[in-house]
Amino acid sequence: MAESEKKFDERKTKLEPHHRQLTGDLLNVKKRIDHIEWKSDVMRNQMGDMDKSQGMMDRLLASSEIAITTLTDQLGELDLQLQAAQKVEDDLKLHFNSINTRIRDNQANHRKLMEERKAKLRELEAQKTKGIETNKEMASQYRTLQNDQMEIKDKYMNNFEDRIKLENTIKDVRELQALQIRMHGAMMEYYKYRGLYNSSELSHLEDMSIQNSEKVTQLQSSMDVALKNITEFLQTQMTGEAIRKTAWDNLQKNERRAASKEARAMKMKSSSTIVVAS
């Protein structure tokens, strides 16, 4: 409608100057016709006075008739132009009225369409609200089911881990049993060879003990001889009481030495016996 109004206004603006010009020309022509008619009347009134100048008057009349004919033709052309402008104006008015009618119809259709869309919008909003509530309920159910699933999954995972631990424990027990069996065999072999080694060491220690006993006996005999010689020397150099004291001290020292040697020999023998028994 705005484009049509703008277009018609432009056409109207273009035609109005021409229309005003034609109207001015028509008024001028009417004025000239009136002037010519008045002049014709004057000329008719002066016909009697113009007998001498009849030829001039005839020429003037002919020229006036030609001018009248020309002006009449121009007036007809102007009438045609006015009719065309009027027709264009009527067409524009008819088109403008049709546009207004179409605009009113479009506005009515638009209002009807807006009412239908508002009703549809309210329906969709109600469906949306209902859908949101349904979605919330389903989301709550989904979270509950998901939590249950996670609990069951955790329980199964714990059971699976316990089973894996149990299997690993059984595997470790079996490996430990196998290692214990191997260790038992190795220990049997070890104690076997250890017993043999201790037996050989015990025999060696007994041999050494016998040799040491013989050496101790020899040393004891040598010490007795030496003590005897010392005693005899002291008897010649000291009084009787001093000699007895010195001999007694030497005898106690020799006894302590012999007792300590015998205790060491017994200790070595007992340790070797313990090793053999173990």
Side-chain angles (χ1 to χ4, degrees):
M1 184 180 70
E3 290 177 358
S4 299
E5 287 180 354
K6 184 177 180 181
K7 184 177 180 181
F8 295 151
D9 290 337
E10 289 178 356
R11 292 183 64 185
K12 186 176 180 182
T13 303
K14 290 180 181 179
L15 292 174
E16 281 179 356
H18 186 62
H19 182 268
R20 286 195 297 270
Q21 184 179 359
L22 292 176
T23 304
D25 293 338
L26 182 61
L27 292 174
N28 292 327
V29 169
K30 287 182 178 179
K31 287 181 180 179
R32 289 181 67 183
I33 290 171
D34 293 337
H35 178 70
I36 291 169
E37 289 179 354
W38 174 76
K39 193 173 181 180
S40 297
D41 293 337
V42 171
M43 289 175 69
R44 288 190 194 95
N45 293 326
Q46 291 179 358
M47 287 293 292
D49 297 331
M50 296 179 66
D51 292 336
K52 294 181 180 181
S53 57
Q54 185 67 37
M56 185 184 298
M57 292 297 293
D58 292 336
R59 286 193 297 274
L60 289 173
L61 183 60
S63 61
S64 298
E65 289 177 355
I66 292 170
I68 290 168
T69 303
T70 303
L71 292 174
T72 303
D73 294 335
Q74 291 179 357
L75 181 62
E77 185 178 356
L78 290 173
D79 289 335
L80 292 173
Q81 291 179 357
L82 288 173
Q83 290 177 1
Q86 187 67 34
K87 184 177 180 181
V88 170
E89 185 177 359
D90 293 337
D91 293 336
L92 290 174
K93 288 181 179 179
L94 181 63
H95 192 58
F96 180 73
N97 292 327
S98 66
I99 289 172
N100 288 329
T101 303
R102 191 161 58 250
I103 289 170
R104 287 192 295 271
D105 294 336
N106 290 331
Q107 288 178 352
N109 293 328
H110 180 70
R111 285 192 296 271
K112 183 178 179 181
L113 182 62
M114 288 299 294
E115 290 176 357
E116 291 177 355
R117 288 187 176 181
K118 286 179 180 178
K120 188 67 176 179
L121 178 62
R122 288 191 294 271
E123 183 180 356
L124 292 175
E125 286 179 351
Q127 292 179 0
K128 179 183 176 182
T129 304
K130 185 177 179 181
I132 290 171
E133 292 177 355
T134 305
N135 191 13
K136 288 180 179 179
E137 292 177 358
M138 293 179 70
S140 178
Q141 294 177 2
Y142 175 74
R143 285 194 294 271
T144 302
L145 293 174
Q146 191 175 16
N147 293 327
D148 295 338
Q149 183 184 4
M150 291 299 293
E151 290 178 357
I152 294 170
K153 185 177 180 181
D154 292 336
K155 187 182 294 183
Y156 284 157
M157 289 298 293
N158 293 327
N159 292 330
F160 181 69
E161 291 177 356
D162 294 336
R163 183 175 179 181
I164 290 173
K165 290 179 180 179
L166 183 60
E167 289 178 354
N168 291 328
T169 304
I170 294 170
K171 184 177 179 181
D172 294 336
V173 169
R174 288 177 180 174
E175 291 179 355
L176 181 61
Q177 185 178 4
L179 291 173
Q180 286 178 350
I181 292 170
R182 292 174 62 187
M183 184 177 179
H184 180 70
M187 290 298 291
M188 291 293 290
E189 293 292 328
Y190 171 75
Y191 288 128
K192 178 181 177 182
Y193 292 113
R194 183 66 179 271
L196 295 174
Y197 174 75
N198 290 330
S199 298
S200 63
E201 287 293 326
L202 181 59
S203 299
H204 180 66
L205 288 173
E206 288 177 352
D207 294 336
M208 289 180 67
S209 178
I210 292 168
Q211 292 176 3
N212 290 328
S213 297
E214 291 177 354
K215 288 180 180 180
V216 169
T217 303
Q218 292 175 1
L219 288 173
Q220 187 69 35
S221 299
S222 299
M223 288 177 67
D224 291 338
V225 173
L227 287 171
K228 184 178 180 182
N229 293 328
I230 291 169
T231 303
E232 290 177 355
F233 175 77
L234 289 174
Q235 286 177 358
T236 59
Q237 297 294 328
M238 298 175 64
T239 62
E241 186 177 358
I243 292 169
R244 284 193 300 271
K245 185 176 181 181
T246 303
W248 180 253
D249 291 335
N250 290 328
L251 183 60
Q252 287 182 349
K253 287 180 181 180
N254 291 329
E255 288 179 355
R256 283 197 296 272
R257 287 177 184 174
S260 62
K261 288 180 180 180
E262 187 177 358
R264 282 197 298 273
M266 292 297 291
K267 186 177 181 181
M268 291 175 64
K269 186 176 181 180
S270 63
S271 62
S272 61
T273 304
I274 291 169
V275 168
V276 172
S278 63

